[in-house]
Amino acid sequence: MDLVIRGARVVDGTGGPSYRADVGVHEGRVAAIGRLGAGRETLDAHGLALAPGFVDMHAHSDLALLRDPDHGAKVAQGVTLEVLGQDGLSYAPVDDRSRAEVRAAIAGWNGPGDDVDFDWHDVGGYLDRLDRGVAVNAAYLVPQGTVRATVLGWDDRPATPAELDRMRALVADGLAQGAVGMSSGLTYTPGMYASGAELAELCAVVASYGGYYCPHHRSYGRGALAAYAEMVELARGAGCALHLAHATMNFDENEGRAGELLGLLDAALADGCDITLDSYPYTAGCTTLVALLPSRANAGGPEAVLARLADDAEAERIRYALEVEGADGCHGVPVDWSTIEVSGVGDPAFDAYVGTRLTGWDAARRLLLGDRLRPTILQHVGHEGNVRAIMRHPAHTGGSDGILRGAKPHPRAYGTFPHYLGHYVRELGVLTLEECVAHLAGRPAARLRLPDRGLVRVGYRADLVLFDPDTVAAGSTYARPRVLPKGIPHVLIDGRFVMRDGRRTDVLAGRSVRRTPYSGR
């Protein structure tokens, strides 16, 4: 054996009882489990739990992986695989025009990208770029909004038959090149302009490749249940597997209503639908400030938005939609500015806003114009009872939705996985340790159709995390969001230490994880 991990409490990712054993690693895979002799190297793991590496089912590290070889925010949590291309907006497939537009539109998520060499256009090119070596493994979803931007631009109109054919072809190409499915951001432009019929056509392509559809659906506030139901029926009609992104029930009207969502999903599961979901263990959400605006204000792309904000009459119409009507970008709920905390800006001239709550539309408008749509925000609109109920569901997986940019990011970017293990397992007992690891590793790998990841099992890749169940905890808080977790001393990818004795090594063992060929096509 290259490495023998001795005396660990093995929590194998199946949800079954944990057990004490030695685990042997050879040539990047788990080679033996039991009572083992010495290896070329031996690690004493008495007092530690050994689990499969955690899978972040909703990550926004699309550029962070390329610019930051350390990527400690995720590595230190025990994350060994991230799923990128989320919320319908990312950097492939693009042409030169749409890439520039997407870069501007999601600069609040990922930064402007001036420090990244964009030497790809298609999904395969992006995955090849990851294969040069990154901090953790990464899978990719074809972003439906980016596809629409590339074919139609940012206009709010139906696709012509020829445009729909081109979108189908781009989605098929991305899946053939290794994407695991398709994402949408149906409160973000331009993806939100797609009708249900248009989405169904694209989902049929996804189903033919054995991928899954991952929508940020049309509302998490007013009309949330109807929005979830729309996605269930869409996937059912297309015969497509469905994974619901950051499945929450937010805003005052949804307090205590998680049971209604779970009942909807249970009925669909009983009817044979293939459904999973992810969530983060926090009550606040995080997005860009511009995302709150009504969709009509976002038509035409970032420069058109800035022009509308600069026009007093247009700005007043936007204010009325936000504060009185309830804009679709704010999930149909009139905005409560006291819940909006600025988490990051692009221009240091606006640093004074970071960590403050917005006082109203005038302040929001000044910030959007001055910082050219780049501010990110925390939106304090969640409910703890809903968070706990949803994480218990047997179709649930963990996803951080972590945005790594900004002076004061959401603590979920640095703390999601240890927060599950420390707070919700050890302190509250909402999940057992075995159940939680299944939610964070085994079940996500099954959704991704990965034949050799997600479990501690002989022959599986040695993507492993060792943590102390008695001390593991998130260090990050809303006040100090960039503090690394404690109680996770070792993380391995392909049998190589990327964290050792609580320190990040210089190993870049991460590569692209491409869609497993599907015999049903």
Side-chain angles (χ1 to χ4, degrees):
M1 301 293 170
D2 297 326
L3 171 68
V4 171
I5 302 170
R6 193 175 302 287
R9 175 185 174 185
V10 178
V11 188
D12 66 6
T14 65
S18 58
Y19 56 91
R20 191 77 54 190
D22 304 335
V23 174
V25 174
H26 187 64
E27 295 183 349
R29 294 186 179 267
V30 175
I33 302 173
R35 295 187 62 183
L36 306 178
R40 293 187 180 91
E41 184 177 0
T42 300
L43 176 68
D44 183 357
H46 288 86
L48 298 179
L50 184 151
F54 304 138
V55 179
D56 189 340
M57 286 295 289
H58 194 103
H60 288 285
S61 304
D62 307 52
L63 298 187
L65 276 174
L66 302 181
R67 68 160 63 92
D68 178 16
D70 181 78
H71 202 46
K74 295 299 180 69
V75 177
Q77 294 185 61
V79 171
T80 59
L81 170 61
E82 297 184 278
V83 185
L84 311 176
Q86 299 287 349
D87 294 327
L89 289 167
S90 189
Y91 305 96
V94 292
D95 56 24
D96 289 342
R97 172 192 57 79
S98 62
R99 178 166 60 196
E101 292 167 345
V102 167
R103 284 179 60 181
I106 55 174
W109 294 355
N110 299 312
D114 296 338
D115 51 354
V116 174
D117 179 13
F118 288 88
D119 59 354
W120 71 87
H121 285 90
D122 61 6
V123 170
Y126 177 70
L127 297 179
D128 288 344
R129 178 69 178 275
L130 296 175
D131 283 339
R132 299 180 197 174
V134 288
V136 303
N137 297 313
Y140 189 77
L141 296 163
V142 179
Q144 169 259 330
T146 296
V147 169
R148 201 174 207 273
T150 300
V151 176
L152 280 79
W154 297 71
D155 294 336
D156 182 2
R157 65 174 178 83
T160 67
E163 289 167 337
L164 185 55
D165 284 344
R166 189 175 171 214
M167 285 193 287
R168 280 194 295 247
L170 285 176
V171 172
D173 287 346
L175 289 157
Q177 292 162 12
V180 295
M182 180 181 77
S183 75
S184 284
L186 299 179
T187 64
Y188 300 131
T189 57
M192 70 191 306
Y193 299 142
S195 66
E198 180 180 309
L199 294 171
E201 291 284 347
L202 302 182
C203 283
V205 176
V206 175
S208 73
Y209 280 85
Y212 68 91
Y213 180 45
C214 180
H216 164 131
H217 51 274
R218 298 190 192 274
S219 176
Y220 290 82
R222 182 181 295 166
L225 287 172
Y228 280 113
E230 180 195 8
M231 295 298 99
V232 170
E233 292 309 307
L234 171 66
R236 188 200 307 268
C240 187
L242 177 65
H243 181 84
L244 296 165
H246 37 61
T248 59
M249 293 287 288
N250 290 338
F251 301 94
D252 289 348
E253 46 262 77
N254 289 319
E255 185 172 5
R257 299 185 69 189
E260 295 176 59
L261 166 61
L262 300 178
L264 169 70
L265 300 184
D266 285 339
L269 287 163
D271 197 32
C273 293
D274 182 359
I275 300 174
T276 50
L277 61 149
D278 67 64
S279 74
Y280 46 83
Y282 298 89
T283 55
C286 180
T287 188
T288 55
L289 180 58
V290 68
L292 302 185
L293 305 188
S295 57
R296 63 178 181 270
N298 279 289
E303 291 304 319
V305 180
L306 288 166
R308 291 186 185 98
L309 288 169
D311 182 280
D312 288 344
E314 288 284 351
E316 172 56 23
R317 283 190 279 272
I318 293 170
R319 182 206 66 79
Y320 188 83
L322 276 169
E323 296 184 347
V324 180
E325 295 177 328
D328 46 7
C330 196
H331 309 280
V333 179
V335 67
D336 177 356
W337 294 111
S338 71
T339 69
I340 307 298
E341 178 184 0
V342 179
S343 61
V345 295
D347 185 342
F350 298 93
D351 282 349
Y353 279 90
V354 175
T356 68
R357 305 286 178 116
L358 289 174
T359 56
W361 168 240
D362 289 343
R365 181 188 178 196
R366 285 195 302 272
L367 183 57
L368 285 166
L369 282 167
D371 201 35
R372 295 189 59 80
L373 312 183
R374 290 176 293 184
T376 53
I377 59 169
L378 304 185
Q379 197 168 12
H380 296 273
V381 292
H383 304 284
E384 180 66 17
N386 289 346
V387 170
R388 296 187 193 186
I390 289 168
M391 74 171 64
R392 291 190 187 101
H393 194 273
H396 171 266
T397 66
S400 72
D401 196 11
I403 294 173
L404 300 168
R405 301 289 292 184
K408 194 171 180 287
H410 196 301
R412 68 194 184 191
Y414 284 73
T416 287
F417 295 86
H419 197 48
Y420 270 120
L421 295 166
H423 186 59
Y424 287 96
V425 171
R426 184 181 63 248
E427 295 176 0
L428 299 180
V430 174
L431 297 167
T432 69
L433 184 61
E434 291 83 356
E435 288 170 337
C436 188
V437 170
H439 287 237
L440 304 184
R443 190 170 300 131
R447 163 49 71 217
L448 296 168
R449 297 184 185 271
L450 303 180
D452 59 356
R453 300 178 195 265
L455 302 176
V456 181
R457 182 171 288 174
V458 171
Y460 275 51
R461 291 181 181 271
D463 295 351
L464 304 169
V465 55
L466 289 110
F467 61 92
D468 184 344
D470 294 330
T471 64
V472 63
S476 60
T477 63
Y478 287 105
R480 301 181 64 214
R482 294 188 184 273
V483 179
L484 295 178
K486 62 181 181 179
I488 305 178
H490 309 295
V491 183
L492 298 91
I493 296 178
D494 271 358
R496 302 167 66 191
F497 284 97
V498 294
M499 284 281 294
R500 184 154 197 172
D501 296 322
R503 297 177 182 273
R504 176 73 170 94
T505 71
D506 61 2
V507 171
L508 296 176
R511 300 292 186 270
S512 70
V513 173
R514 307 194 186 210
R515 182 186 53 83
T516 301
Y518 180 55
S519 60
R521 183 169 183 263

